[in-house]
Amino acid sequence: MIETWFPTSIYSSKLNPPRQIKSSMIKYVDNFLMKNQEYLKGNITGDVFNDYALHTKDEFSWLNWQIFQACNQYLESLGVDTSLTSIYAQKSWPVVYNKNSGFVASHCHKNAVLSAVYYLKCSSENGGGLTFDSPNTSFTDLPLKFEYNYLSYKDCTYIPIENGLMIFPSNLTHRVEEYNASDYRYSISYDLFVVSNYLDNDNENTIPDPSRWTKLS
């Protein structure tokens, strides 16, 4: 018998935005693309081009609520008492992938607790998969050649679907495979903080709510 331990849990679902709300989100990203078209090679991202607060925009208030609910479902499934937590969007930005060329190299989001990606406009048949690297290096570090199977695989890839939502630990290394469709792909990324909203209990290894913070400068 071979046991599999130490899971890496990733949330995925499909949202159903009202037509008008989706149109307003797409229009926002259309305008972002238009303003930055000259810089578009593989992709352009709002956190690089000074558009990293979509969570403060009216067009994305519906998406904020969907992500909040999804995060609570995800955390509760992991054993978190979400009555004792609050969730903050600290950054959120559009990502536009160019036709037949967009990709994102391996990276993680060291500035957050959870990260989310919502596929606003995409094709499921032309690449652009979201690939996660296994945080467990037990096999990849061994001096052996593997034909990887379900007991030893080192990464996994999710095929994007329009209106799909993914949530995952921000420190999980991930990348976006090359996108080969004949139209632009739009996605929305969020970096999220999960903080403690209780004051009298043990707060060790948690982040207190920002209302308890003091700026020292």
Side-chain angles (χ1 to χ4, degrees):
M1 173 184 268
I2 299 177
E3 302 281 2
T4 56
W5 294 95
F6 311 116
T8 299
S9 302
I10 295 170
Y11 176 97
S12 66
S13 68
K14 186 175 182 180
L15 304 183
N16 186 27
R19 181 178 300 177
Q20 185 174 356
I21 288 174
K22 181 164 183 176
S23 294
S24 67
M25 290 191 288
I26 288 177
K27 183 177 178 181
Y28 186 98
V29 183
D30 284 342
N31 290 334
F32 169 76
L33 172 60
M34 187 179 305
K35 287 188 294 186
N36 299 287
Q37 182 84 49
E38 62 184 295
Y39 304 105
L40 179 61
K41 294 185 175 24
N43 63 70
I44 48 173
T45 66
D47 55 341
V48 174
F49 289 92
N50 199 32
D51 196 347
Y52 53 85
L54 299 190
H55 56 280
T56 67
K57 311 293 185 182
D58 290 342
E59 294 93 331
F60 297 92
S61 58
W62 178 88
L63 184 57
N64 289 348
W65 179 245
Q66 301 302 313
I67 288 177
F68 169 73
Q69 292 182 303
C71 283
N72 277 337
Q73 292 175 16
Y74 179 38
L75 293 170
E76 287 167 3
S77 72
L78 297 175
V80 176
D81 183 350
T82 56
S83 70
L84 302 178
T85 62
S86 296
I87 299 171
Y88 287 85
Q90 49 144 319
K91 286 173 59 181
S92 52
W93 63 96
V95 182
V96 176
Y97 295 83
N98 204 354
K99 306 171 185 178
N100 299 312
S101 64
F103 72 96
V104 176
S106 290
H107 66 289
C108 65
H109 298 228
K110 297 180 180 179
N111 57 300
V113 176
L114 296 178
S115 292
V117 57
Y118 169 62
Y119 296 103
L120 179 59
K121 184 175 79 169
C122 76
S123 167
S124 299
E125 301 176 355
N126 299 97
L130 178 60
T131 296
F132 295 97
D133 292 329
S134 170
N136 182 352
T137 60
S138 299
F139 294 106
T140 55
D141 287 346
L142 290 178
L144 299 169
K145 293 183 179 180
F146 286 93
E147 291 185 6
Y148 290 101
N149 59 34
Y150 79 101
L151 293 173
S152 62
Y153 59 89
K154 62 180 180 178
D155 57 32
C156 65
T157 300
Y158 285 81
I159 302 303
I161 58 172
E162 189 158 318
N163 296 320
L165 174 66
M166 307 287 300
I167 301 173
F168 52 92
S170 297
N171 62 358
L172 187 60
T173 301
H174 56 284
R175 62 188 180 274
V176 178
E177 308 293 347
E178 188 169 353
Y179 175 67
N180 297 307
S182 58
D183 194 10
Y184 300 112
R185 187 176 91 171
Y186 292 173
S187 61
I188 308 297
S189 294
Y190 277 66
D191 277 346
L192 305 158
F193 253 43
V194 182
V195 302
S196 300
N197 62 18
Y198 55 96
L199 305 179
D200 298 326
N201 295 322
D202 184 358
N203 275 285
E204 186 176 13
N205 296 323
T206 66
I207 303 169
D209 190 279
S211 64
R212 307 288 292 176
W213 299 7
T214 297
K215 188 176 182 180
L216 298 182
S217 60

